[in-house]
Amino acid sequence: MTLSVLLVAAAVALVSLEPATAIRSVRGFVASGAQCLACILAFSALPWIALFLALRRGAPLDAPLAGAYAGAAAFLFAAAAVRIACPIDEGLHLLTWHTLPIAMGAAFSAIAGARWLGRWQRALDRREVP
Amino acid sequence: MPTPPSHERLVAQLLADARPVRPLWSPHTRLAVWLVLQALTLGFAVEFGLRQDLGAHLRQPLFLLEVGALIAAGATAAAVALRAAVPGPAADGQ
């Protein structure tokens, strides 16, 4: 956990070292960013589903935390892939459209984890002792 | 100390409902399979990405550190997630 946080912090710090260029047009900033966001979502979808299903076959004791890890893992790899593919190296673009989706993906996945990864515990709780 | 009758009834009920299960692959094996999937994703990004100057960027330490840190953090998070889904100290075997 600590290592993961440190590495993400290092990536964010490194991204912020990229040149900060003034935004010439908000529309262009959002349009190019939306493409990156869509790519990150596309790149992360299948790995997230695969990892989530793998976790669902197990029995995570802390379902939201396991879900958050799964989301962070899928979105971190997707962000790496988009960093390789995206031709824009501006710091603000990278922080807004490449790094923020990682946090949002982890948060979404934590909610999904709370909803679907803890079902085995709830099923056990519902079982009544005769 | 004798087992309370309610516990014995619960165990009997669990045994009555038990069905055969397929053992899980170890977290290491599942992580390896997942990382292969991710390697394909990264390969796709390298092959079909919009960046024309990727070769030059791959010689820049800052760029390599950024991408390397993201990949390392992703692999660590996946390993922790898969490990968390198998409670118990002897989880690696099952």
Side-chain angles (χ1 to χ4, degrees):
Chain A
M1 170 66 178
T2 311
L3 178 64
S4 224
V5 170
L6 281 175
L7 288 169
V8 171
V12 171
L14 289 165
V15 161
S16 65
L17 289 177
E18 294 288 350
T21 314
I23 301 173
R24 284 181 290 278
S25 110
V26 173
R27 183 176 289 184
F29 178 74
V30 173
S32 60
Q35 280 185 349
C36 289
L37 181 62
C39 285
I40 287 180
L41 290 175
F43 277 132
S44 63
L46 190 60
W48 180 75
I49 291 170
L51 195 53
F52 204 81
L53 290 178
L55 295 186
R56 204 156 172 247
R57 288 206 61 213
L61 294 177
D62 191 339
L65 190 62
Y69 279 130
F75 277 80
L76 279 163
F77 266 95
V82 173
R83 184 74 184 96
I84 290 170
C86 173
I88 303 171
D89 291 323
E90 294 167 10
L92 190 58
H93 171 86
L94 296 174
L95 281 172
T96 309
W97 302 110
H98 291 213
T99 309
L100 211 56
I102 299 170
M104 290 170 64
F108 161 78
S109 187
I111 293 168
R115 176 77 180 77
W116 286 297
L117 291 180
R119 291 175 79 171
W120 69 276
Q121 283 177 322
R122 289 194 290 274
L124 212 57
D125 291 343
R126 276 199 303 271
R127 188 182 288 273
E128 289 178 12
V129 179
Chain B
M1 184 177 153
T3 311
S6 62
H7 286 197
E8 289 177 1
R9 283 198 296 274
L10 176 61
V11 170
Q13 189 190 47
L14 289 171
L15 281 174
D17 293 346
R19 301 279 180 276
V21 292
R22 213 158 23 106
L24 290 177
W25 292 348
S26 76
H28 291 131
T29 309
R30 286 182 288 157
L31 177 65
V33 171
W34 192 78
L35 289 177
V36 168
L37 175 66
Q38 291 294 23
L40 293 175
T41 305
L42 292 173
F44 183 87
V46 169
E47 189 64 30
F48 299 104
L50 297 175
R51 188 185 282 282
Q52 303 296 321
D53 56 348
L54 183 60
H57 265 77
L58 288 177
R59 284 189 289 276
Q60 293 178 7
L62 182 64
F63 183 79
L64 288 176
L65 272 172
E66 281 175 33
V67 176
L70 288 169
I71 290 172
T76 307
V80 173
L82 288 168
R83 183 64 188 75
V86 187
D92 283 356
Q94 293 296 317

